Amino acid sequence: MKLSIFNGSPKLGINNTGILLESFITGFQETPDNEVEMIRMNNEQSYKDAAIRFEAAEAVLIAFPLYSYAMPAGVKTFLEQLEPLLGKCTGKKVGFLVQFGFVEAIHARGLEKYLEHLTKALDCDYEGIIIKGGCDGISRNKKGAKKILMGAYEIGKTYGIEKVFNKEQLDKYSAPEIQKKQNPFVMKILFRLINKLYWEKSFKKNGVTYESSFARPYEN
Amino acid sequence: MRILILNGNPKADYVEFDSYIEDLKQSLEYKSHKVKNIMLRNLQLHDCIGCYTCWLKTPGVCCFNDGIEDILKEYLAADVVILSSPIIMYYVSALLKRVNDRLLPLGHPFLVLRDHRMSHVQRYNRYPKTTLLLDNQKEFDRESFQLIELVYKKSVRGLAKIWSTKQNVEEITDEVVNI
Ligand SMILES: Cc1cc2nc3c(=O)[nH]c(=O)nc-3n(C[C@H](O)[C@H](O)[C@H](O)COP(=O)(O)O)c2cc1C
């Protein structure tokens, strides 16, 4: 099977989407004869080129980070290029991978509905969506993200063998849906730790103090 | 009230949309609101590239000096922001989404728990109410409305109202004061 993978991270260099995809692809290619075509989209010309590759592809995985609860603007530019293909992609398989910073899957559920609707409007077969939160740091700390990457590998492997996503596997991977079951007190302490150990450290590295990080340059 | 309209219509030949926005502006001004209308397609705005400069290096300020500053200032000064866009591929235009993404400098990286899920600390004390105005040309648009609403309702500062260009501008003008 040949899978065309579109990476829509707007970053110029290394990106979390790409790292997650690497693991997925390793799993996918465990099955002999599985082939991957990678399409990177992060500038105007690449969205146009990607639309041509999309039209020619048999099976597609569109991967990107969640930006303000939806696709990044650039990925929307790509989708707008597909307008002439509405209703004309009969038989094309299309799946998605959406990863993001917040931990809970619920952040991407609105978008999921949209992507499914769009896929059907193109008359593609909707394969499903891999949703994974908590991915902010994976390109900086691959070791710390071992579980996340292993999960992507397993999903790729299953997809490579069965040629369809396993819904149960995807749901398990996306959990938790929300944090209701967690103790809010524990969560607050955890966030304080992340703020202190991660964000404050990043400020410092850039010569920004705790106070100046709260700057309000456009206050009225 | 101060009202900011961001016109996310990418197509200059879709004049009906632009003239609807112009009518709306006049109707709002007639009721003594102070209205600013920014035509996004006339600006050369970059897409956000996720570099986090606005959080980590120059807090509150984007790495691109391409006119986004004026939009952010107008945004914060407004009581109500009307994000407006034709529906393209069942969603708001990439042009409008671009500005959505570029609002990142208005937030702060620190995490907080809000409604049982992760959220970010707000940089400013006061934010405008955000609303969406979509066109409504084709038979599929009803469903798009619901999908777009579903996504926007999840967003940090929420969505106060969603309007359609099928409504007459006086109706929206009346509703603005009550959101
Ligand atoms: C403009 C912008 C908007 C974002 N919006 C969200 C969001 O709504 N929810 C979320 O959990 N993460 C959000 N993020 C974080 C990214 O989804 C996260 O860092 C992701 O791992 C980046 O992937 P990449 O490295 O492949 O670009 C946003 C990041 C940026 C720059």
Side-chain angles (χ1 to χ4, degrees):
Chain A
M1 167 190 197
K2 183 173 172 189
L3 181 63
S4 301
I5 302 182
F6 295 75
N7 177 354
S9 166
K11 282 189 186 153
L12 303 178
I14 189 164
N15 56 87
N16 298 326
T17 307
I19 306 249
L20 210 55
L21 283 174
E22 273 173 28
S23 296
F24 176 90
I25 291 167
T26 308
F28 179 74
Q29 293 192 321
E30 293 281 337
T31 305
D33 299 333
N34 276 354
E35 206 186 308
V36 166
E37 171 194 34
M38 274 300 294
I39 299 112
R40 183 82 178 93
M41 337 184 259
N42 59 359
N43 61 52
E44 285 300 319
Q45 188 55 46
S46 66
Y47 303 125
K48 292 203 177 84
D49 296 344
I52 295 164
R53 306 281 276 275
F54 179 92
E55 188 174 6
E58 277 169 49
V60 169
L61 180 70
I62 301 173
F64 56 85
L66 195 68
Y67 264 34
S68 326
Y69 301 82
M71 74 303 272
V75 173
K76 180 64 193 349
T77 303
F78 162 66
L79 296 178
E80 289 180 7
Q81 301 289 328
L82 303 182
E83 200 163 10
L85 301 181
L86 280 172
K88 291 183 187 155
C89 300
T90 315
K92 199 189 300 293
K93 296 160 113 195
V94 176
F96 297 90
L97 184 160
V98 177
Q99 57 77 28
F100 45 97
F102 292 152
V103 170
E104 310 86 2
I106 189 166
H107 294 279
R109 291 300 180 198
L111 175 69
E112 175 183 19
K113 289 256 166 20
Y114 166 74
L115 294 173
E116 181 170 358
H117 184 81
L118 175 79
T119 306
K120 288 179 178 162
L122 287 161
D123 202 28
C124 298
D125 298 334
Y126 180 70
E127 295 279 281
I129 179 168
I130 307 168
I131 291 177
K132 190 62 187 166
C135 288
D136 242 338
I138 60 179
S139 58
R140 270 186 319 268
N141 180 4
K142 279 200 206 177
K143 273 207 191 98
K146 214 167 153 187
K147 231 180 107 183
I148 292 179
L149 298 181
M150 200 59 206
Y153 167 87
E154 293 293 344
I155 289 170
K157 194 170 161 184
T158 307
Y159 187 65
I161 296 167
E162 295 172 9
K163 317 292 186 236
V164 286
F165 283 134
N166 179 321
K167 180 91 174 59
E168 218 171 292
Q169 190 182 29
L170 296 192
D171 284 345
K172 220 174 127 196
Y173 189 55
S174 308
E177 192 63 28
I178 52 171
Q179 295 290 4
K180 211 158 198 158
K181 288 189 207 104
Q182 311 287 348
N183 181 339
F185 186 70
V186 175
M187 292 302 288
K188 272 180 195 155
I189 292 176
L190 178 70
F191 289 173
R192 219 168 281 164
L193 271 174
I194 297 174
N195 293 345
K196 193 141 196 84
L197 294 179
Y198 178 67
W199 291 116
E200 283 190 44
K201 222 167 127 188
S202 309
F203 294 151
K204 222 170 163 181
K205 235 180 16 207
N206 290 292
V208 170
T209 62
Y210 175 88
E211 288 74 25
S212 65
S213 80
F214 288 97
R216 292 174 183 162
Y218 310 130
E219 184 108 277
N220 296 295
Chain B
M1 286 203 298
R2 277 182 80 138
I3 297 165
L4 171 65
I5 305 175
L6 295 174
N7 183 342
N9 174 19
K11 296 171 194 147
D13 59 358
Y14 184 11
V15 274
E16 296 87 349
F17 191 86
D18 292 348
S19 54
Y20 182 92
I21 299 287
E22 207 38 58
D23 290 350
L24 176 62
K25 180 170 186 269
Q26 276 174 21
S27 165
L28 289 163
E29 280 171 344
Y30 185 70
K31 292 277 160 133
S32 307
H33 297 298
K34 195 161 179 278
V35 186
K36 173 102 187 173
N37 175 17
I38 299 181
M39 183 72 90
L40 297 176
R41 69 168 183 272
N42 291 344
L43 304 172
Q44 301 288 316
L45 294 173
H46 289 264
D47 280 347
C48 171
I49 54 164
C51 67
Y52 291 120
T53 295
C54 62
W55 278 3
L56 302 177
K57 292 184 185 162
T58 53
V61 179
C62 180
C63 70
F64 291 121
N65 184 6
D66 57 2
I68 194 67
E69 261 200 5
D70 292 338
I71 294 181
L72 294 176
K73 279 180 198 161
E74 294 288 348
Y75 188 97
L76 287 167
D79 299 298
V80 176
V81 175
I82 303 177
L83 305 169
S84 64
S85 169
I87 295 176
I88 302 172
M89 289 300 266
Y90 309 92
Y91 204 67
V92 303
S93 66
L95 183 62
L96 181 65
K97 185 58 174 55
R98 177 182 297 157
V99 172
N100 248 232
D101 295 349
R102 298 281 303 272
L103 298 181
L104 201 68
L106 300 183
H108 185 280
F110 278 2
L111 296 170
V112 285
L113 196 63
R114 211 176 279 146
D115 303 329
H116 305 290
R117 51 188 165 118
M118 283 168 104
S119 195
H120 285 292
V121 166
Q122 308 210 326
R123 180 176 297 279
Y124 292 89
N125 285 329
R126 184 193 158 278
Y127 292 89
K129 294 242 163 60
T130 321
T131 66
L132 254 185
L133 171 62
L134 303 170
D135 75 343
N136 204 339
Q137 289 193 298
K138 306 186 190 109
E139 78 287 355
F140 62 69
D141 286 350
R142 244 175 75 91
E143 201 165 356
S144 302
F145 255 70
Q146 289 164 355
L147 291 165
I148 295 168
E149 192 170 20
L150 208 61
V151 177
Y152 271 84
K153 277 247 161 94
K154 293 219 181 304
S155 64
V156 206
R157 287 181 280 278
L159 188 69
K161 191 89 199 178
I162 181 164
W163 286 301
S164 144
T165 53
K166 276 258 164 72
Q167 294 172 268
N168 56 45
V169 291
E170 289 78 19
E171 200 179 321
I172 297 182
T173 305
D174 287 343
E175 285 181 22
V176 157
V177 286
N178 295 321
I179 56 169

